Amino acid sequence: MAVTIKEIAKKAGVSRSTVARALNDHPKISLATKQKVHQIAQELGYVPNYIAQSLSNNRTQTIGVVIAQVTDPFNWNVIEGIDLAAHNQGYSVLVATARNDRQREFEIIETFHRRRVDGIIVSSSHMGSYHSQVLQKIDIPVILINEPEPEGVFRSVSINDMASVQQGLNYLIDIGHQRIVYVGSANRPKSNARRYKAYRGTLRVVGLPVHDEIIAEAGQSDIETGRAAAKRVINTQATAVLCYNDRVALGLNAALREKGIAIPDAISIMGFDDIDEATYAVPRLTTIRQPQMQLGEYAVTMLLEMLEGHEVSNLILPCELVVRDSTQAPARQET
């Protein structure tokens, strides 16, 4: 049978209300009493009733997290950052995957709300304006990751896609590439559109040709998207490729090498994210590094600030170009 506060109070010789306050570290309870109550609670094997506590203080000490895909290593690192920051503040984390489905994402958020989580973090949101308008009515904070222009009451922590893509492309241009193509992902329509727009804008400014986006149908994994793009990449006669993310780049790299095309001697490949696999690829992948764990950590910090009633502004974190072995100057002078 579970140990009750009444039993602790009897053994400690204090009232039940004093025990409850001592266990909750109330400032009006003396340190000696707190230590005595905690020691007796430990000896008796007392387990706090968090459900009852949540009803009394209107907090469950839980955060709901929605991710687009459980198979994406980017999400693993974001979740690690969320979990670390949440744990340090005494919060637990519940994770659900939307499988790149807008309606499923909406339903998960509603479910988290019904289960009384204290706040919700959504990574790579697929929500449309209708869903955003409906969810604005919920009375808990929602933080979006990599949604730089959130609607209504939502707040976000994100990267600057435009500046990050420009940084990567400027490096390729500086080492001599003039025919650069972009391989995108249909599974992330919002962020993909921002990166392709940055690709077009950057190349037009310097007077280089802009190619139509190479993209596979939605539903394919990013690795499959990269593999499927290989033939079209070859047909463009490009000397360099910027990919939506590292997994697209790794799929493209594998397919090109199977066709006997040397990377980077014939074609340079650049990814985006800097997942762990980028370091171990052959050749090692040049990429644009997102601060993945920091995105998760800042999302928790912002959410907890909102829970305390503080005003929170959207936050944009910088990315970093990481040059490895999959890129080099083109083998011949381009014309």
Side-chain angles (χ1 to χ4, degrees), residues 244-275:
Y244 169 80
N245 65 15
D246 290 343
R247 300 187 81 218
V248 171
L250 294 174
L252 175 62
N253 174 64
L256 291 176
R257 293 181 69 207
E258 288 170 4
K259 296 178 182 295
I261 297 174
I263 310 297
D265 295 340
I267 301 178
S268 290
I269 298 178
M270 178 181 292
F272 202 114
D273 285 346
D274 196 25
I275 60 176

PDB file of all heavy atoms in Angstrom, residues 244-275:
ATOM      1  N   TYR A 244      19.036  19.903 -49.954  1.00  0.00           N
ATOM      2  CA  TYR A 244      18.171  20.396 -48.878  1.00  0.00           C
ATOM      3  C   TYR A 244      18.717  20.014 -47.515  1.00  0.00           C
ATOM      4  O   TYR A 244      18.738  20.827 -46.593  1.00  0.00           O
ATOM      5  CB  TYR A 244      16.755  19.849 -49.038  1.00  0.00           C
ATOM      6  CG  TYR A 244      15.897  20.118 -47.822  1.00  0.00           C
ATOM      7  CD1 TYR A 244      15.310  21.360 -47.637  1.00  0.00           C
ATOM      8  CD2 TYR A 244      15.725  19.132 -46.845  1.00  0.00           C
ATOM      9  CE1 TYR A 244      14.554  21.627 -46.504  1.00  0.00           C
ATOM     10  CE2 TYR A 244      14.971  19.393 -45.713  1.00  0.00           C
ATOM     11  CZ  TYR A 244      14.390  20.637 -45.545  1.00  0.00           C
ATOM     12  OH  TYR A 244      13.655  20.898 -44.413  1.00  0.00           O
ATOM     13  N   ASN A 245      19.157  18.769 -47.358  1.00  0.00           N
ATOM     14  CA  ASN A 245      19.765  18.357 -46.089  1.00  0.00           C
ATOM     15  C   ASN A 245      20.820  17.282 -46.341  1.00  0.00           C
ATOM     16  O   ASN A 245      21.048  16.862 -47.483  1.00  0.00           O
ATOM     17  CB  ASN A 245      18.706  17.898 -45.068  1.00  0.00           C
ATOM     18  CG  ASN A 245      17.961  16.642 -45.486  1.00  0.00           C
ATOM     19  OD1 ASN A 245      18.380  15.925 -46.399  1.00  0.00           O
ATOM     20  ND2 ASN A 245      16.855  16.371 -44.824  1.00  0.00           N
ATOM     21  N   ASP A 246      21.450  16.844 -45.271  1.00  0.00           N
ATOM     22  CA  ASP A 246      22.536  15.872 -45.403  1.00  0.00           C
ATOM     23  C   ASP A 246      22.055  14.529 -45.927  1.00  0.00           C
ATOM     24  O   ASP A 246      22.775  13.850 -46.676  1.00  0.00           O
ATOM     25  CB  ASP A 246      23.217  15.658 -44.041  1.00  0.00           C
ATOM     26  CG  ASP A 246      24.014  16.867 -43.589  1.00  0.00           C
ATOM     27  OD1 ASP A 246      24.310  17.732 -44.426  1.00  0.00           O
ATOM     28  OD2 ASP A 246      24.334  16.935 -42.384  1.00  0.00           O
ATOM     29  N   ARG A 247      20.848  14.106 -45.548  1.00  0.00           N
ATOM     30  CA  ARG A 247      20.375  12.799 -45.986  1.00  0.00           C
ATOM     31  C   ARG A 247      20.114  12.794 -47.491  1.00  0.00           C
ATOM     32  O   ARG A 247      20.385  11.802 -48.167  1.00  0.00           O
ATOM     33  CB  ARG A 247      19.128  12.392 -45.205  1.00  0.00           C
ATOM     34  CG  ARG A 247      19.373  12.300 -43.702  1.00  0.00           C
ATOM     35  CD  ARG A 247      18.195  11.730 -42.980  1.00  0.00           C
ATOM     36  NE  ARG A 247      18.179  10.273 -43.078  1.00  0.00           N
ATOM     37  CZ  ARG A 247      17.085   9.545 -43.223  1.00  0.00           C
ATOM     38  NH1 ARG A 247      15.910  10.119 -43.322  1.00  0.00           N
ATOM     39  NH2 ARG A 247      17.154   8.225 -43.283  1.00  0.00           N
ATOM     40  N   VAL A 248      19.589  13.884 -48.027  1.00  0.00           N
ATOM     41  CA  VAL A 248      19.449  14.001 -49.481  1.00  0.00           C
ATOM     42  C   VAL A 248      20.834  13.932 -50.127  1.00  0.00           C
ATOM     43  O   VAL A 248      21.039  13.234 -51.128  1.00  0.00           O
ATOM     44  CB  VAL A 248      18.737  15.311 -49.855  1.00  0.00           C
ATOM     45  CG1 VAL A 248      18.783  15.536 -51.369  1.00  0.00           C
ATOM     46  CG2 VAL A 248      17.284  15.301 -49.376  1.00  0.00           C
ATOM     47  N   ALA A 249      21.794  14.648 -49.543  1.00  0.00           N
ATOM     48  CA  ALA A 249      23.158  14.657 -50.091  1.00  0.00           C
ATOM     49  C   ALA A 249      23.794  13.275 -50.045  1.00  0.00           C
ATOM     50  O   ALA A 249      24.464  12.856 -50.998  1.00  0.00           O
ATOM     51  CB  ALA A 249      24.017  15.653 -49.305  1.00  0.00           C
ATOM     52  N   LEU A 250      23.562  12.531 -48.960  1.00  0.00           N
ATOM     53  CA  LEU A 250      24.141  11.191 -48.846  1.00  0.00           C
ATOM     54  C   LEU A 250      23.516  10.229 -49.856  1.00  0.00           C
ATOM     55  O   LEU A 250      24.209   9.380 -50.429  1.00  0.00           O
ATOM     56  CB  LEU A 250      23.950  10.661 -47.423  1.00  0.00           C
ATOM     57  CG  LEU A 250      24.720  11.430 -46.330  1.00  0.00           C
ATOM     58  CD1 LEU A 250      24.347  10.901 -44.948  1.00  0.00           C
ATOM     59  CD2 LEU A 250      26.215  11.337 -46.554  1.00  0.00           C
ATOM     60  N   GLY A 251      22.212  10.357 -50.086  1.00  0.00           N
ATOM     61  CA  GLY A 251      21.566   9.523 -51.098  1.00  0.00           C
ATOM     62  C   GLY A 251      22.082   9.831 -52.488  1.00  0.00           C
ATOM     63  O   GLY A 251      22.342   8.919 -53.294  1.00  0.00           O
ATOM     64  N   LEU A 252      22.248  11.117 -52.795  1.00  0.00           N
ATOM     65  CA  LEU A 252      22.786  11.524 -54.095  1.00  0.00           C
ATOM     66  C   LEU A 252      24.221  11.047 -54.250  1.00  0.00           C
ATOM     67  O   LEU A 252      24.602  10.517 -55.309  1.00  0.00           O
ATOM     68  CB  LEU A 252      22.725  13.052 -54.213  1.00  0.00           C
ATOM     69  CG  LEU A 252      23.351  13.654 -55.473  1.00  0.00           C
ATOM     70  CD1 LEU A 252      22.630  13.173 -56.733  1.00  0.00           C
ATOM     71  CD2 LEU A 252      23.350  15.179 -55.391  1.00  0.00           C
ATOM     72  N   ASN A 253      25.012  11.191 -53.222  1.00  0.00           N
ATOM     73  CA  ASN A 253      26.406  10.752 -53.255  1.00  0.00           C
ATOM     74  C   ASN A 253      26.510   9.260 -53.569  1.00  0.00           C
ATOM     75  O   ASN A 253      27.310   8.842 -54.414  1.00  0.00           O
ATOM     76  CB  ASN A 253      27.063  11.065 -51.908  1.00  0.00           C
ATOM     77  CG  ASN A 253      28.474  10.514 -51.799  1.00  0.00           C
ATOM     78  OD1 ASN A 253      29.365  10.917 -52.541  1.00  0.00           O
ATOM     79  ND2 ASN A 253      28.673   9.571 -50.889  1.00  0.00           N
ATOM     80  N   ALA A 254      25.679   8.476 -52.898  1.00  0.00           N
ATOM     81  CA  ALA A 254      25.717   7.025 -53.120  1.00  0.00           C
ATOM     82  C   ALA A 254      25.342   6.671 -54.554  1.00  0.00           C
ATOM     83  O   ALA A 254      25.995   5.838 -55.200  1.00  0.00           O
ATOM     84  CB  ALA A 254      24.777   6.332 -52.136  1.00  0.00           C
ATOM     85  N   ALA A 255      24.280   7.309 -55.075  1.00  0.00           N
ATOM     86  CA  ALA A 255      23.819   6.991 -56.428  1.00  0.00           C
ATOM     87  C   ALA A 255      24.837   7.400 -57.485  1.00  0.00           C
ATOM     88  O   ALA A 255      25.069   6.670 -58.459  1.00  0.00           O
ATOM     89  CB  ALA A 255      22.478   7.682 -56.688  1.00  0.00           C
ATOM     90  N   LEU A 256      25.451   8.558 -57.316  1.00  0.00           N
ATOM     91  CA  LEU A 256      26.449   9.012 -58.287  1.00  0.00           C
ATOM     92  C   LEU A 256      27.675   8.111 -58.277  1.00  0.00           C
ATOM     93  O   LEU A 256      28.216   7.759 -59.334  1.00  0.00           O
ATOM     94  CB  LEU A 256      26.852  10.457 -57.990  1.00  0.00           C
ATOM     95  CG  LEU A 256      25.781  11.527 -58.247  1.00  0.00           C
ATOM     96  CD1 LEU A 256      26.278  12.899 -57.819  1.00  0.00           C
ATOM     97  CD2 LEU A 256      25.372  11.549 -59.727  1.00  0.00           C
ATOM     98  N   ARG A 257      28.115   7.713 -57.111  1.00  0.00           N
ATOM     99  CA  ARG A 257      29.292   6.841 -57.021  1.00  0.00           C
ATOM    100  C   ARG A 257      29.006   5.473 -57.641  1.00  0.00           C
ATOM    101  O   ARG A 257      29.882   4.868 -58.259  1.00  0.00           O
ATOM    102  CB  ARG A 257      29.724   6.708 -55.569  1.00  0.00           C
ATOM    103  CG  ARG A 257      30.257   8.012 -54.970  1.00  0.00           C
ATOM    104  CD  ARG A 257      30.693   7.850 -53.533  1.00  0.00           C
ATOM    105  NE  ARG A 257      31.886   7.011 -53.462  1.00  0.00           N
ATOM    106  CZ  ARG A 257      32.207   6.270 -52.414  1.00  0.00           C
ATOM    107  NH1 ARG A 257      31.411   6.217 -51.363  1.00  0.00           N
ATOM    108  NH2 ARG A 257      33.317   5.544 -52.421  1.00  0.00           N
ATOM    109  N   GLU A 258      27.766   4.982 -57.486  1.00  0.00           N
ATOM    110  CA  GLU A 258      27.398   3.712 -58.113  1.00  0.00           C
ATOM    111  C   GLU A 258      27.459   3.805 -59.634  1.00  0.00           C
ATOM    112  O   GLU A 258      27.668   2.803 -60.326  1.00  0.00           O
ATOM    113  CB  GLU A 258      25.995   3.305 -57.667  1.00  0.00           C
ATOM    114  CG  GLU A 258      25.930   2.842 -56.208  1.00  0.00           C
ATOM    115  CD  GLU A 258      24.503   2.685 -55.713  1.00  0.00           C
ATOM    116  OE1 GLU A 258      23.569   2.854 -56.529  1.00  0.00           O
ATOM    117  OE2 GLU A 258      24.310   2.413 -54.517  1.00  0.00           O
ATOM    118  N   LYS A 259      27.249   5.020 -60.157  1.00  0.00           N
ATOM    119  CA  LYS A 259      27.313   5.242 -61.608  1.00  0.00           C
ATOM    120  C   LYS A 259      28.732   5.538 -62.065  1.00  0.00           C
ATOM    121  O   LYS A 259      28.965   5.887 -63.233  1.00  0.00           O
ATOM    122  CB  LYS A 259      26.377   6.396 -61.998  1.00  0.00           C
ATOM    123  CG  LYS A 259      24.910   6.114 -61.740  1.00  0.00           C
ATOM    124  CD  LYS A 259      24.056   7.318 -62.106  1.00  0.00           C
ATOM    125  CE  LYS A 259      22.578   7.067 -61.814  1.00  0.00           C
ATOM    126  NZ  LYS A 259      22.015   5.996 -62.657  1.00  0.00           N
ATOM    127  N   GLY A 260      29.697   5.438 -61.146  1.00  0.00           N
ATOM    128  CA  GLY A 260      31.099   5.651 -61.515  1.00  0.00           C
ATOM    129  C   GLY A 260      31.518   7.101 -61.547  1.00  0.00           C
ATOM    130  O   GLY A 260      32.576   7.431 -62.097  1.00  0.00           O
ATOM    131  N   ILE A 261      30.713   7.977 -60.964  1.00  0.00           N
ATOM    132  CA  ILE A 261      31.034   9.410 -60.951  1.00  0.00           C
ATOM    133  C   ILE A 261      31.768   9.738 -59.657  1.00  0.00           C
ATOM    134  O   ILE A 261      31.252   9.504 -58.560  1.00  0.00           O
ATOM    135  CB  ILE A 261      29.756  10.254 -61.078  1.00  0.00           C
ATOM    136  CG1 ILE A 261      29.103   9.972 -62.437  1.00  0.00           C
ATOM    137  CG2 ILE A 261      30.057  11.737 -60.921  1.00  0.00           C
ATOM    138  CD1 ILE A 261      27.774  10.627 -62.628  1.00  0.00           C
ATOM    139  N   ALA A 262      32.961  10.270 -59.787  1.00  0.00           N
ATOM    140  CA  ALA A 262      33.803  10.531 -58.624  1.00  0.00           C
ATOM    141  C   ALA A 262      33.363  11.805 -57.906  1.00  0.00           C
ATOM    142  O   ALA A 262      33.122  12.842 -58.538  1.00  0.00           O
ATOM    143  CB  ALA A 262      35.263  10.656 -59.051  1.00  0.00           C
ATOM    144  N   ILE A 263      33.268  11.704 -56.586  1.00  0.00           N
ATOM    145  CA  ILE A 263      32.932  12.845 -55.738  1.00  0.00           C
ATOM    146  C   ILE A 263      34.166  13.149 -54.887  1.00  0.00           C
ATOM    147  O   ILE A 263      34.669  12.256 -54.199  1.00  0.00           O
ATOM    148  CB  ILE A 263      31.737  12.535 -54.804  1.00  0.00           C
ATOM    149  CG1 ILE A 263      30.565  11.939 -55.587  1.00  0.00           C
ATOM    150  CG2 ILE A 263      31.321  13.768 -54.028  1.00  0.00           C
ATOM    151  CD1 ILE A 263      29.983  12.858 -56.629  1.00  0.00           C
ATOM    152  N   PRO A 264      34.734  14.346 -54.953  1.00  0.00           N
ATOM    153  CA  PRO A 264      34.238  15.560 -55.606  1.00  0.00           C
ATOM    154  C   PRO A 264      34.900  15.857 -56.948  1.00  0.00           C
ATOM    155  O   PRO A 264      34.711  16.948 -57.479  1.00  0.00           O
ATOM    156  CB  PRO A 264      34.615  16.639 -54.588  1.00  0.00           C
ATOM    157  CG  PRO A 264      35.949  16.168 -54.090  1.00  0.00           C
ATOM    158  CD  PRO A 264      35.846  14.669 -54.023  1.00  0.00           C
ATOM    159  N   ASP A 265      35.687  14.909 -57.489  1.00  0.00           N
ATOM    160  CA  ASP A 265      36.446  15.202 -58.712  1.00  0.00           C
ATOM    161  C   ASP A 265      35.539  15.634 -59.862  1.00  0.00           C
ATOM    162  O   ASP A 265      35.855  16.588 -60.583  1.00  0.00           O
ATOM    163  CB  ASP A 265      37.265  13.972 -59.125  1.00  0.00           C
ATOM    164  CG  ASP A 265      38.335  13.629 -58.095  1.00  0.00           C
ATOM    165  OD1 ASP A 265      38.670  14.524 -57.303  1.00  0.00           O
ATOM    166  OD2 ASP A 265      38.806  12.479 -58.079  1.00  0.00           O
ATOM    167  N   ALA A 266      34.412  14.933 -60.024  1.00  0.00           N
ATOM    168  CA  ALA A 266      33.494  15.270 -61.116  1.00  0.00           C
ATOM    169  C   ALA A 266      32.404  16.226 -60.657  1.00  0.00           C
ATOM    170  O   ALA A 266      32.041  17.163 -61.372  1.00  0.00           O
ATOM    171  CB  ALA A 266      32.872  14.002 -61.686  1.00  0.00           C
ATOM    172  N   ILE A 267      31.855  15.990 -59.483  1.00  0.00           N
ATOM    173  CA  ILE A 267      30.778  16.827 -58.935  1.00  0.00           C
ATOM    174  C   ILE A 267      31.016  17.022 -57.440  1.00  0.00           C
ATOM    175  O   ILE A 267      31.253  16.053 -56.711  1.00  0.00           O
ATOM    176  CB  ILE A 267      29.378  16.197 -59.142  1.00  0.00           C
ATOM    177  CG1 ILE A 267      29.095  15.967 -60.632  1.00  0.00           C
ATOM    178  CG2 ILE A 267      28.287  17.091 -58.542  1.00  0.00           C
ATOM    179  CD1 ILE A 267      27.742  15.303 -60.890  1.00  0.00           C
ATOM    180  N   SER A 268      30.927  18.264 -56.996  1.00  0.00           N
ATOM    181  CA  SER A 268      30.982  18.565 -55.566  1.00  0.00           C
ATOM    182  C   SER A 268      29.573  18.510 -54.982  1.00  0.00           C
ATOM    183  O   SER A 268      28.605  18.904 -55.634  1.00  0.00           O
ATOM    184  CB  SER A 268      31.571  19.958 -55.325  1.00  0.00           C
ATOM    185  OG  SER A 268      32.944  19.991 -55.621  1.00  0.00           O
ATOM    186  N   ILE A 269      29.461  17.998 -53.754  1.00  0.00           N
ATOM    187  CA  ILE A 269      28.161  17.885 -53.089  1.00  0.00           C
ATOM    188  C   ILE A 269      28.227  18.557 -51.724  1.00  0.00           C
ATOM    189  O   ILE A 269      29.155  18.319 -50.942  1.00  0.00           O
ATOM    190  CB  ILE A 269      27.745  16.408 -52.913  1.00  0.00           C
ATOM    191  CG1 ILE A 269      27.584  15.738 -54.274  1.00  0.00           C
ATOM    192  CG2 ILE A 269      26.448  16.309 -52.108  1.00  0.00           C
ATOM    193  CD1 ILE A 269      27.214  14.255 -54.179  1.00  0.00           C
ATOM    194  N   MET A 270      27.206  19.384 -51.443  1.00  0.00           N
ATOM    195  CA  MET A 270      27.088  20.051 -50.151  1.00  0.00           C
ATOM    196  C   MET A 270      25.743  19.709 -49.520  1.00  0.00           C
ATOM    197  O   MET A 270      24.705  19.735 -50.180  1.00  0.00           O
ATOM    198  CB  MET A 270      27.202  21.572 -50.305  1.00  0.00           C
ATOM    199  CG  MET A 270      27.043  22.348 -48.990  1.00  0.00           C
ATOM    200  SD  MET A 270      27.160  24.143 -49.214  1.00  0.00           S
ATOM    201  CE  MET A 270      28.884  24.302 -49.666  1.00  0.00           C
ATOM    202  N   GLY A 271      25.758  19.382 -48.237  1.00  0.00           N
ATOM    203  CA  GLY A 271      24.530  19.091 -47.505  1.00  0.00           C
ATOM    204  C   GLY A 271      24.097  20.254 -46.632  1.00  0.00           C
ATOM    205  O   GLY A 271      24.553  21.393 -46.794  1.00  0.00           O
ATOM    206  N   PHE A 272      23.203  19.936 -45.698  1.00  0.00           N
ATOM    207  CA  PHE A 272      22.677  20.957 -44.779  1.00  0.00           C
ATOM    208  C   PHE A 272      22.235  20.229 -43.506  1.00  0.00           C
ATOM    209  O   PHE A 272      21.497  19.254 -43.586  1.00  0.00           O
ATOM    210  CB  PHE A 272      21.467  21.663 -45.423  1.00  0.00           C
ATOM    211  CG  PHE A 272      21.151  23.023 -44.866  1.00  0.00           C
ATOM    212  CD1 PHE A 272      21.279  24.155 -45.647  1.00  0.00           C
ATOM    213  CD2 PHE A 272      20.709  23.182 -43.558  1.00  0.00           C
ATOM    214  CE1 PHE A 272      20.977  25.419 -45.147  1.00  0.00           C
ATOM    215  CE2 PHE A 272      20.408  24.421 -43.046  1.00  0.00           C
ATOM    216  CZ  PHE A 272      20.542  25.547 -43.841  1.00  0.00           C
ATOM    217  N   ASP A 273      22.689  20.641 -42.365  1.00  0.00           N
ATOM    218  CA  ASP A 273      22.336  20.139 -41.025  1.00  0.00           C
ATOM    219  C   ASP A 273      23.581  19.768 -40.237  1.00  0.00           C
ATOM    220  O   ASP A 273      23.715  20.110 -39.086  1.00  0.00           O
ATOM    221  CB  ASP A 273      21.402  18.915 -41.030  1.00  0.00           C
ATOM    222  CG  ASP A 273      19.961  19.258 -41.381  1.00  0.00           C
ATOM    223  OD1 ASP A 273      19.622  20.459 -41.368  1.00  0.00           O
ATOM    224  OD2 ASP A 273      19.194  18.324 -41.682  1.00  0.00           O
ATOM    225  N   ASP A 274      24.484  18.990 -40.837  1.00  0.00           N
ATOM    226  CA  ASP A 274      25.635  18.378 -40.175  1.00  0.00           C
ATOM    227  C   ASP A 274      25.191  17.333 -39.154  1.00  0.00           C
ATOM    228  O   ASP A 274      25.516  17.416 -37.968  1.00  0.00           O
ATOM    229  CB  ASP A 274      26.544  19.415 -39.512  1.00  0.00           C
ATOM    230  CG  ASP A 274      27.915  18.817 -39.178  1.00  0.00           C
ATOM    231  OD1 ASP A 274      28.312  17.841 -39.846  1.00  0.00           O
ATOM    232  OD2 ASP A 274      28.576  19.316 -38.243  1.00  0.00           O
ATOM    233  N   ILE A 275      24.487  16.321 -39.648  1.00  0.00           N
ATOM    234  CA  ILE A 275      24.164  15.165 -38.802  1.00  0.00           C
ATOM    235  C   ILE A 275      25.426  14.327 -38.625  1.00  0.00           C
ATOM    236  O   ILE A 275      26.414  14.509 -39.340  1.00  0.00           O
ATOM    237  CB  ILE A 275      23.030  14.320 -39.433  1.00  0.00           C
ATOM    238  CG1 ILE A 275      23.432  13.801 -40.811  1.00  0.00           C
ATOM    239  CG2 ILE A 275      21.740  15.128 -39.510  1.00  0.00           C
ATOM    240  CD1 ILE A 275      22.407  12.873 -41.450  1.00  0.00           C
TER     241      ILE A 275
END
